[in-house]
Amino acid sequence: MNGIIGMTPIALQQNQSKERAKKKKKKIQSSSEYLLGLINDILDMSKIESGKMKLEPCNFNIYEMLDTIGELIAPQAEAKRIDLVKDIRMDHKWFLADRMRISQVLINLLGNAVKFTAAGGRVIFSVVELGGDEEQAQVSFAVSDTGIGIAPEDQERVFRSFEQASSNPSKQQGTGLGLSISSRLVQLMGSNIQIESAPGEGSTFRFAIPINLGEDMETEVSKEEVSFEGRRVLV
């Protein structure tokens, strides 16, 4: 909010260069997006604590979901020259679950991994189908990094609301709600997030959840050739 209030009057000043005005507007935009993220986190936590957070299952293609997540995280990783590695091993493609909340958890874990990994490091994103039956599959998600790591005494604290690890060099950034929300969402899905970490040796956050199999929505594309000869076409 300070960024928005501070930069707006400067951006509105007359007789300043376009470059300077553009720079201030970019700061206003980034501050606004960051503030929106904080508000959404607080609203989510309020829903969770009041017991009003409900999962909303939908039929979705897990590969499309993972591609979308990758597209959101890739620019952050590229900016720090971090090698983002995907390890996807799935037997099924279509599932019935709350795609938005699964994505929210994974984006949070991947965002943290990139944030706390030094330039030139590596982040590994693994999604593996462990097995199941005709109606349900057990899917394991894991995010590993070569970042700063978390001390054993801090590993439980990072899931508490408004708290971060004491070794966190960027305590002024964020509300400390991201991992707490992610942990609660995974609990709603019937599991828990587990940490494997040590200071200076990176971290791995993983969870495995049961997901109902969905309906295959893909249809075979007809190979029959269609001729438009002698017809008028409006494009």
Side-chain angles (χ1 to χ4, degrees):
M1 200 67 203
N2 286 333
I4 297 170
I5 294 172
M7 291 296 112
T8 301
I10 298 175
L12 290 172
Q13 287 177 356
Q14 301 295 324
N15 302 322
Q16 61 177 313
S17 67
K18 290 184 179 180
E19 186 63 32
R20 186 169 185 265
K22 184 178 180 180
K23 189 178 294 185
K24 302 306 176 186
K25 289 174 183 177
K26 282 186 175 180
K27 289 184 178 179
I28 293 171
Q29 181 182 22
S30 62
S31 294
S32 300
E33 291 170 351
Y34 184 64
L35 178 60
L36 178 62
L38 298 183
I39 292 171
N40 284 334
D41 281 351
I42 292 170
L43 290 174
D44 279 346
M45 183 55 69
S46 177
K47 280 184 180 179
I48 290 170
E49 291 185 341
S50 65
K52 294 183 178 179
M53 175 66 77
K54 304 295 183 185
L55 298 178
E56 299 180 5
C58 68
N59 197 59
F60 70 97
N61 183 324
I62 195 166
Y63 286 96
E64 290 181 358
M65 181 191 79
L66 297 176
D67 285 344
T68 300
I69 292 172
E71 290 170 1
L72 291 171
I73 297 299
Q76 302 173 35
E78 290 171 3
K80 295 181 68 176
R81 293 178 287 106
I82 290 174
D83 187 17
L84 181 59
V85 180
K86 294 181 182 178
D87 177 22
I88 314 299
R89 288 172 281 158
M90 300 294 297
D91 296 325
H92 296 88
K93 183 182 291 186
W94 292 87
F95 292 89
L96 184 64
D98 193 326
R99 169 179 173 160
M100 186 182 77
R101 296 304 179 183
I102 294 175
S103 297
Q104 182 178 355
V105 173
L106 296 176
I107 290 169
N108 198 322
L109 295 179
L110 285 165
N112 279 348
V114 171
K115 181 179 179 181
F116 296 114
T117 297
R122 171 177 287 193
V123 172
I124 302 175
F125 179 31
S126 301
V127 182
V128 180
E129 187 171 335
L130 301 177
D133 52 37
E134 295 180 354
E135 297 182 355
Q136 196 176 71
Q138 190 80 2
V139 182
S140 172
F141 300 89
V143 175
S144 302
D145 62 61
T146 57
I148 60 175
I150 304 171
E153 61 270 19
D154 287 330
Q155 291 180 14
E156 184 180 345
R157 291 178 56 243
V158 296
F159 292 117
R160 299 176 189 168
S161 302
F162 303 105
E163 290 201 35
Q164 296 176 332
S166 59
S167 58
N168 181 351
S170 305
K171 280 190 172 184
Q172 74 278 9
Q173 299 179 10
T175 58
L177 285 174
L179 282 177
S180 179
I181 291 171
S182 297
S183 177
R184 306 283 187 93
L185 289 175
V186 171
Q187 287 172 9
L188 283 175
M189 298 174 196
S191 185
N192 291 286
I193 298 178
Q194 299 176 338
I195 307 179
E196 299 169 12
S197 183
E201 298 182 10
S203 305
T204 296
F205 289 79
R206 70 173 74 249
F207 63 94
I209 55 175
I211 310 181
N212 291 332
L213 300 181
E215 180 183 354
D216 190 339
M217 301 300 290
E218 292 179 334
T219 56
E220 291 188 8
V221 179
S222 175
K223 295 182 180 179
E224 179 185 354
E225 292 186 7
V226 179
S227 172
F228 291 96
E229 185 177 356
R231 296 179 181 273
R232 301 176 65 191
V233 181
L234 174 64
V235 179

